[in-house]
Amino acid sequence: MKSSVYVTSPIYYVNAKPHIGHAYTTIACDIFARFRRMLLHDVKFTTGTDEHGKKIEQSAQNAGIDTQSFVDQNSQLFRDLLPFLNIQNDDFIRTTELRHKKAVEYFWEEIKRNGYLYLGEYSGWYDIRNEAYFSEDELVDGKSPLGGEVQYMTEPCYFFRLSTFNDQLIRFYENNPDFIMPLHRRNEVISFVQQGLRDLAVTRTTFKWGIKVPKDPKHVVYVWLDALVNYLTSNGYPDNAHQNKDEFWQNSVHFVGKEIIKFHAVYWPAFLMAAGIQPPRQIVAHGWWLSEGEKMSKSVGNVQDPIKYCKLFGSDALRYYIMREIPFGDDGNFSLENFIGRHNSFLVNSFGNLCYRLLSFIKTHSDGVVTKQRDFKEDDAIFAGNVDEALTEAMKAMHQYAFSKCLERLEDAVSFANQYIDKQKPWALKKEGNTIRMHTVLFLLLEKTYITTKFLMPFIPISTAKILKQMNIPYEPVILIKERIPVTVNIGEPEIVFTKIDPADLGTFDVFAND
Ligand code: ME8
């Protein structure tokens, strides 16, 4: 039976323009989705925007426009970013859509009917920027632990009986050891739950911009409960009410930044359990892009603009750098200098050079034709074995969301090919008239380069498609370590695909989003 996978990005707040941080998660989801499609899995990939809450209401007021027009405009910016990044998403969900309102209302009624909601009163320090309450002892220098300004507020509200889920959650983490990836994040979540969970305020009365509580419209549903339900809405809920039997839901993977793990790995499973729905299959949390040493964030004002990078260097260059520069769970500095360095060293000098030198040699010195020959030497077996091993490890890394490790191993495969061509010297074989050996070498190189190129497709789809076209090997978009190419290949027209970036040509290129 065909495996299914449901890949989701966070839905992004629409209080400002998208930046490199948002592009990162969406690109990671897209690469993972493309990879699974190339394993012939049934993939559904959704992204979108989170449009309710006090923060959005206030941002619209500050901008002097009505809230609906404000969210429409800003949601569109996130949607418009997708083609720049070359994202193949199946859905784009907005929390202001009717389908989502229906889903949240239905979900609310379910958890209410199951006895997990009660009416009470809430007092605490509210961080507007991050839409969360904190107690006095959680404040840091008069601000919320997330860094936002706080104000003391008291309001009547509905509570969710989160405290009743302590044991059930711990059991769930124990029974599903890979629920939270990477694994070190799991311990943080477990120790947070072990400290004991308090009931959670899940409605607000201090603003109106949100989904009203069914039959009690003074109350607006807490923006995080509203937002998390998007993952169900996009999977057809509530019409598709039997999520536990749904193959996409059973194999759902939520990609998130590390700052929202608690919402996804603690609150969300508890909400779902309360509604009788099984938790998602995995939460994959990544680290932060820093800009000049600080978290890139619209409220700090140090954000870099992904569209500028794509317009100047192309989406493949950005996709490659963003996945290669830092291990997925770690933080790292986004720097134009490193971007250029990595681009030139791998895409241009290593991979681009391998493809071009191989194909142009075949074109000029072998009439554009390579045929399978069997004049094998020990070096050939070593080369083939090294590449196969690198590809096997790349595949394993991809299954563990270790994107940069996967790319490192693919880079190794490319280096093996460059070393092999240098050592076997097909130009010398040509000169000696040793055509059989020359074809043996070229065929093996072409086959291994072709397979490696296909592994690189999820990361750099545009350039790999060009290279595969130049190879002129009819292909299915499937990843197979032991794939074979036809015994005779008549290659197409070799062309240079990657061009070197010279910082001197960039002039006053400004990476920051200015407005
Ligand atoms: O939290 N580095 O939305 P948001 C890496 N609406 N990733 C970053 C980043 C950075 N500097 N900055 C943002 C929300 N991100 C909620 C989510 S989901 C049901 C609701 C990415 O607009 C990262 O994925 O603040 C992070 O988790 C997300 O954007 C936060 O986006």
Side-chain angles (χ1 to χ4, degrees):
M1 198 175 59
K2 214 170 171 187
S3 305
S4 304
V5 61
Y6 179 39
V7 182
T8 69
S9 85
I11 47 170
Y12 305 109
Y13 287 131
V14 288
N15 54 335
K17 279 171 67 166
H19 60 70
I20 283 288
H22 306 112
Y24 183 43
T25 324
T26 312
I27 289 174
C29 291
D30 184 65
I31 290 170
F32 188 68
R34 284 176 188 258
F35 169 73
R36 297 289 287 259
R37 282 187 208 110
M38 289 183 76
L39 294 177
L40 301 181
H41 295 175
D42 230 342
V43 177
K44 182 148 73 175
F45 163 26
T46 176
T47 181
T49 45
D50 188 354
E51 305 185 12
H52 288 135
K54 190 164 183 153
K55 178 166 64 175
I56 309 284
E57 196 179 68
Q58 275 193 347
S59 302
Q61 276 163 12
N62 295 343
I65 27 180
D66 74 279
T67 318
Q68 187 62 54
S69 312
F70 179 79
V71 298
D72 287 349
Q73 276 171 24
N74 282 356
S75 174
Q76 192 60 40
L77 298 177
F78 283 87
R79 203 188 282 263
D80 289 346
L81 175 64
L82 302 175
F84 278 103
L85 304 174
N86 195 8
I87 303 297
Q88 289 181 334
N89 55 310
D90 299 289
D91 192 6
F92 185 94
I93 176 151
R94 300 181 57 188
T95 53
T96 49
E97 286 175 71
L98 188 60
R99 60 171 171 155
H100 182 63
K101 180 169 173 274
K102 270 172 53 186
V104 171
E105 287 170 352
Y106 190 92
F107 191 80
W108 178 273
E109 296 282 26
E110 288 288 284
I111 56 178
K112 186 158 181 236
R113 198 160 49 93
N114 293 342
Y116 290 103
L117 294 173
Y118 63 94
L119 193 58
E121 193 173 71
Y122 193 84
S123 297
W125 293 95
Y126 191 62
D127 174 342
I128 299 178
R129 193 170 92 197
N130 294 294
E131 307 271 11
Y133 267 108
F134 295 96
S135 58
E136 183 88 39
D137 55 319
E138 286 175 300
L139 300 186
V140 182
D141 298 332
K143 288 190 175 181
S144 92
L146 300 174
E149 297 292 336
V150 288
Q151 45 181 278
Y152 196 75
M153 305 213 296
T154 298
E155 53 178 325
C157 81
Y158 285 89
F159 280 87
F160 173 70
R161 295 188 194 279
L162 183 62
S163 58
T164 61
F165 285 94
N166 260 51
D167 296 346
Q168 217 176 317
L169 283 170
I170 298 285
R171 261 199 318 276
F172 174 73
Y173 304 138
E174 278 166 2
N175 295 337
N176 297 276
D178 62 352
F179 172 60
I180 301 160
M181 299 287 282
L183 292 176
H184 65 269
R185 297 258 172 247
R186 178 174 180 262
N187 301 334
E188 294 168 16
V189 170
I190 292 179
S191 67
F192 173 77
V193 175
Q194 273 167 343
Q195 282 165 27
L197 297 168
R198 278 182 262 181
D199 287 351
L200 187 70
V202 286
T203 57
R204 303 285 182 261
T205 51
T206 48
F207 63 93
K208 297 211 157 22
W209 186 249
I211 296 174
K212 293 186 175 54
V213 167
K215 303 187 200 93
D216 198 353
K218 278 196 316 295
H219 296 265
V220 168
V221 176
Y222 172 44
V223 69
W224 268 102
L225 174 53
D226 168 346
L228 287 160
V229 171
N230 96 83
Y231 301 129
L232 291 177
T233 313
S234 208
N235 200 33
Y237 183 87
D239 295 341
N240 173 11
H242 300 291
Q243 295 286 318
N244 291 345
K245 295 205 181 104
D246 182 278
E247 277 191 36
F248 285 115
W249 188 254
Q250 287 167 356
N251 296 291
S252 46
V253 183
H254 299 328
F255 282 77
V256 296
K258 65 180 181 183
E259 79 290 356
I260 54 174
I261 291 184
K262 182 177 77 180
F263 298 98
H264 284 81
V266 181
Y267 296 176
W268 183 221
F271 292 155
L272 286 163
M273 287 168 180
I277 300 175
Q278 69 190 46
R281 169 75 188 84
Q282 265 180 334
I283 308 295
V284 186
H286 62 68
W288 289 339
W289 281 108
L290 313 174
S291 183
E292 294 162 350
E294 255 197 283
K295 182 184 178 221
M296 209 185 281
S297 136
K298 43 206 165 197
S299 39
V300 177
N302 59 352
V303 301
Q304 299 195 33
D305 183 350
I307 294 185
K308 287 189 176 177
Y309 278 90
C310 290
K311 279 188 175 161
L312 198 60
F313 308 116
S315 55
D316 279 3
L318 176 64
R319 292 166 66 102
Y320 166 71
Y321 171 73
I322 218 165
M323 299 320 293
R324 176 64 179 87
E325 178 73 4
I326 47 172
F328 201 54
D330 296 0
D331 295 349
N333 208 42
F334 201 97
S335 109
L336 179 60
E337 197 186 334
N338 292 351
F339 181 102
I340 296 173
R342 287 213 181 272
H343 177 275
N344 288 348
S345 107
F346 176 64
L347 294 178
V348 180
N349 294 340
S350 184
F351 181 52
N353 186 36
L354 168 69
C355 296
Y356 187 69
R357 76 202 281 223
L358 173 61
L359 293 176
S360 53
F361 182 88
I362 295 170
K363 193 79 190 170
T364 339
H365 299 289
S366 187
D367 297 327
V369 180
V370 191
T371 54
K372 186 166 189 168
Q373 299 294 342
R374 292 198 165 74
D375 182 10
F376 286 124
K377 298 210 159 38
E378 202 190 338
D379 277 356
D380 308 343
I382 293 172
F383 164 57
N386 284 343
V387 172
D388 291 355
E389 192 187 324
L391 297 181
T392 307
E393 285 172 11
M395 173 95 87
K396 206 163 131 208
M398 199 66 183
H399 281 295
Q400 295 165 340
Y401 311 100
F403 298 97
S404 63
K405 192 166 165 206
C406 173
L407 279 170
E408 269 177 50
R409 299 308 285 137
L410 296 178
E411 290 176 7
D412 288 343
V414 171
S415 298
F416 293 138
N418 273 319
Q419 287 157 19
Y420 177 77
I421 203 170
D422 288 343
K423 189 162 177 211
Q424 302 309 318
K425 299 185 177 49
W427 49 91
L429 297 170
K430 167 83 185 171
K431 227 184 221 161
E432 290 160 15
N434 194 347
T435 314
I436 300 286
R437 176 68 192 150
M438 183 184 81
H439 275 272
T440 307
V441 166
L442 293 177
F443 189 87
L444 188 57
L445 268 166
L446 188 62
E447 188 162 83
K448 294 300 176 200
T449 308
Y450 164 83
I451 299 171
T452 307
T453 304
K454 286 181 78 181
F455 265 74
L456 283 163
M457 283 184 92
F459 294 93
I460 46 171
I462 295 177
S463 3
T464 46
K466 287 184 189 159
I467 291 165
L468 290 170
K469 185 157 182 267
Q470 293 175 24
M471 288 178 177
N472 195 28
I473 298 169
Y475 71 91
E476 295 292 326
V478 178
I479 287 182
L480 270 181
I481 294 166
K482 298 274 184 194
E483 191 175 346
R484 295 282 167 256
I485 61 174
V487 291
T488 300
V489 179
N490 212 319
I491 67 155
E493 208 47 54
E495 271 168 37
I496 288 174
V497 170
F498 303 100
T499 37
K500 192 166 173 193
I501 305 172
D502 182 349
D505 294 339
L506 296 181
T508 54
F509 176 64
D510 171 14
V511 293
F512 291 97
N514 303 319
D515 40 28

